[in-house]
Amino acid sequence: MSETTATVRARANIALAKYWGKSDAALNLPAVPSLSVTLEPMITETTITLVPGLAHDEFLLGGAPAAPEETARVARVLGEVRAEAGSALRARVRSTNSFPTASGLASSASGFAALAGAARAVYGLPDDLRRASILARRASASAARSVLGGFVELPAGRPGDDDVAAIPLHPPEHWPTLRLVVAVVSEGRKDVGSRDGMGLSQRTSPYFAAWVEGAPRIAAEVRRGLAERRLDVLGPALEHSFAAMHALALSTSPPTLYWQPASVAALRTVQRLRDTEGVSVFATMDAGPHVKAVCEAADEERVAAALAASPGVLRTLVARPGPGLERVG
Ligand code: DP6
């Protein structure tokens, strides 16, 4: 018999080789391979309760009803699970994030991963991380990676082939001393979300085809750096990935500039730490102004202090490799 309540935790992740662009928008398949690390302690916890007689799915985020478009996205995931499970019961979804949504770490990745895991559990589908990752991917491709812990790859998809799930590369213990220091910078204008941003890149950038062609080579370097635990291999590759992605965003019509003055200052701070102080630290950015520095635990305090002192940085957060989906109730 299926349970009527399930609670699942998932963590945010940061892409070291970026996903940007889709090979199939309907199935939400990535056009390029991406590699990530799942982050402790950036946790979304989601509880789903099946409620007989409920007319529509409900979604509470941080205790308050979510925006209608967010609820619709959640209901779509639940609808797919209901179809597979042969259930008509609607659900109440409650989700909380342990980290602020404006922290520069995407809560949608941990959110849809936790939702996929909890939905499969509550509707009585088998415990299958591959199926959970595919379900999460259809909602948001970066969420497919948060289903798994440690170091993860999401391959590019061929149009029409829905069978694309995240692949485990290494568990968190493979490189437990890797650190991500997030420099949260002042918010200026509202950013273009990743979905719209990558759509614009795909439609209007003259360089999109070159990005798709070159991304597998960057991903291979990131994969090697992770396998060999070599920051001197991983670092340049992850910087290449994020810089190429942002160059693509800049080359759209109209241009998409995610950087604030404080982002540039933080990137310079990372470069200075590396070039003049010999610290092995490398920067990455996503579809927002925050700068994320990758370094070893031994350099974490120095990197965090330097970034905290960088002009316009509001605060710093530190994350390390963490686990994938966890059923906690
Ligand atoms: C810059 O996963 O949010 O964070 O699949 O359209 O929901 P959708 O996009 P999303 O894009 C994430 C883009 C990124 C890079 C990455 O995480 O790989």
Side-chain angles (χ1 to χ4, degrees):
M1 233 196 43
S2 62
E3 314 236 13
T4 56
T5 291
T7 301
V8 168
R9 281 188 191 151
R11 275 112 185 127
N13 74 76
I14 179 89
L16 304 168
K18 302 296 181 189
Y19 148 56
W20 197 252
K22 301 174 197 283
S23 61
D24 183 325
L27 292 177
N28 205 35
L29 292 166
V32 296
S34 58
L35 283 85
S36 62
V37 54
T38 304
L39 301 173
E40 183 79 336
M42 312 301 171
I43 301 171
T44 297
E45 184 171 298
T46 297
T47 298
I48 307 184
T49 308
L50 301 187
V51 185
L54 198 68
H56 304 284
D57 295 314
E58 294 176 0
F59 177 36
L60 295 177
L61 183 56
E69 58 277 13
E70 285 173 6
T71 305
R73 250 175 123 178
V74 165
R76 210 167 304 133
V77 174
L78 294 171
E80 288 176 28
V81 175
R82 273 194 289 269
E84 194 176 336
S87 170
L89 285 176
R90 295 298 188 262
R92 183 166 295 139
V93 179
R94 283 169 288 148
S95 204
T96 51
N97 293 322
S98 74
F99 55 103
T101 25
S103 66
L105 290 164
S107 57
S108 68
S110 49
F112 283 112
L115 178 73
R120 287 186 59 86
V122 81
Y123 282 102
L125 294 179
D127 206 359
D128 182 334
L129 290 176
R130 196 178 153 73
R131 300 304 312 170
S133 179
I134 290 170
L135 180 65
R137 189 213 75 229
R138 290 197 207 107
S140 187
S142 55
R145 301 186 308 240
S146 273
V147 166
L148 302 178
F151 303 90
V152 179
E153 173 159 4
L154 181 64
R158 284 186 306 277
D161 179 5
D162 188 40
D163 196 31
V164 175
I167 296 167
L169 295 177
H170 313 283
E173 306 76 50
H174 171 73
W175 197 344
T177 55
L178 194 71
R179 292 292 179 272
L180 185 78
V181 181
V182 182
V184 179
V185 309
S186 41
E187 236 73 52
R189 66 179 172 84
K190 199 175 175 334
D191 290 310
V192 179
S194 10
R195 182 158 294 190
D196 291 344
M198 69 177 80
L200 194 61
S201 291
Q202 197 152 0
R203 285 194 311 279
T204 70
S205 170
Y207 310 129
F208 187 75
W211 158 254
V212 172
E213 197 200 316
R217 275 194 303 277
I218 305 177
E221 267 308 271
V222 168
R223 204 181 292 117
R224 181 166 79 90
L226 289 175
E228 298 175 4
R229 280 186 296 248
R230 280 182 55 187
L231 206 46
D232 63 325
V233 174
L234 173 66
L238 71 86
E239 288 204 334
H240 189 187
S241 178
F242 108 83
M245 178 202 125
H246 282 264
L248 203 63
L250 265 180
S251 66
T252 61
S253 174
T256 322
L257 175 63
Y258 287 108
W259 303 9
Q260 293 294 333
S263 321
V264 178
L267 290 174
R268 290 287 182 203
T269 297
V270 168
Q271 196 177 21
R272 175 179 55 76
L273 279 169
R274 197 165 65 224
D275 294 348
T276 67
E277 297 185 33
V279 181
S280 191
V281 55
F282 300 87
T284 184
M285 292 176 70
D286 293 297
H290 315 289
V291 172
K292 296 125 184 198
V294 177
C295 65
E296 282 284 355
D299 296 319
E300 163 189 331
E301 280 178 21
R302 195 160 166 199
V303 169
L307 283 172
S310 191
V313 172
L314 298 177
R315 61 185 182 283
T316 59
L317 286 161
V318 181
R320 59 185 178 279
L325 291 190
E326 278 181 323
R327 176 95 190 254
V328 293

